[in-house]
Amino acid sequence: MNQSEDIKNAVEVLKKGGVILYPTDTVWGIGCDATNEAAVAKVYQIKHRDDSKALICLVDSDARLQRYVRNVPEVAWQLLDAATKPTTVILDNAVNLAPNLIAEDGSIALRITKEAFSKELCYRFQKALVSTSANISGEPAAANYCDISQELLDAVDYVCFTRRQEHKPHTPSSIIRLTENGEITIIRK
């Protein structure tokens, strides 16, 4: 299966409210439509994760990021432009997302992916995509496909074929919290 067919299949599953496993710009991710409350609930269930712990979303562009946050502070753009590794920003005033995805304080964690597969997947889907590490809560994140547990493989609706053979070191993104009043907090380097 080529990458284009793989993305087409994944998008079909996402549009039906399904959950996928897919390679990202960091570790392998569990993904779903970030605007679909039932799909987001399924991700929490699969991960055995308390839904009070927020999930990260991936988008393909600056324009798409702006659809999900009422006011993106200028410092966020400066930070994303200067970042040398995948960087997730937590921003206030999330909008147009599943309510169970937005943190209690109204914030959302978003990352603009530059990696070819996940960027094209987000572009073809035309919405934010949940991107939480492919692991049961509390276990190590799956850096590569071979690290994903059978439990997760059995729990999702589609597993992407792209990059399954890869064996490279991958690390989670940096996470930086940016408030509307300009406060910056580094959550994960």
Side-chain angles (χ1 to χ4, degrees):
M1 176 180 302
N2 68 33
Q3 182 171 305
S4 181
E5 291 170 333
D6 200 14
I7 288 171
K8 183 177 178 237
N9 292 341
V11 167
E12 285 176 16
V13 169
L14 292 166
K15 285 181 177 176
K16 293 176 185 168
V19 176
I20 66 169
L21 281 169
Y22 67 108
T24 75
D25 53 342
T26 59
V27 297
W28 270 70
I30 301 173
C32 73
D33 177 349
T35 67
N36 182 324
E37 191 170 358
V40 171
K42 189 173 177 185
V43 170
Y44 280 116
Q45 178 187 357
I46 289 169
K47 281 189 67 90
H48 306 286
R49 185 169 174 168
D50 181 356
D51 67 6
S52 67
K53 292 186 175 183
L55 302 173
I56 292 171
C57 295
L58 277 190
V59 294
D60 63 318
S61 65
D62 293 0
R64 188 109 42 225
L65 184 139
Q66 289 178 307
R67 287 186 190 176
Y68 301 110
V69 177
R70 195 163 278 119
N71 294 305
V72 179
E74 183 57 36
V75 68
W77 301 123
Q78 294 167 358
L79 184 81
L80 291 170
D81 287 344
T84 57
K85 68 176 266 191
T87 301
T88 300
V89 290
I90 301 173
L91 301 169
D92 293 330
N93 299 311
V95 292
N96 304 320
L97 293 165
N100 55 342
L101 189 58
I102 299 170
E104 287 180 20
D105 66 2
S107 67
I108 188 66
L110 293 160
R111 184 168 73 250
I112 301 170
T113 181
K114 294 178 174 81
E115 182 271 330
F117 181 82
S118 55
K119 185 176 182 78
E120 185 70 13
L121 178 62
C122 290
Y123 175 75
R124 295 280 175 217
F125 186 52
Q126 293 286 297
K127 293 183 189 177
L129 191 60
V130 165
S131 181
T132 182
S133 56
N135 61 311
I136 302 299
S137 201
E139 294 180 2
N144 293 287
Y145 172 78
C146 62
D147 303 322
I148 301 171
S149 72
Q150 193 61 49
E151 179 181 353
L152 283 185
L153 292 169
D154 294 341
V156 300
D157 302 300
Y158 184 75
V159 181
C160 291
F161 287 87
T162 302
R163 291 177 42 202
R164 282 195 188 183
Q165 305 307 317
E166 190 174 85
H167 293 281
K168 291 182 179 177
H170 294 282
T171 56
S173 69
S174 297
I175 301 177
I176 300 173
R177 173 92 165 94
L178 303 170
T179 61
E180 276 189 308
N181 64 5
E183 285 181 44
I184 299 172
T185 306
I186 297 172
I187 308 291
R188 181 171 67 202
K189 285 189 177 185

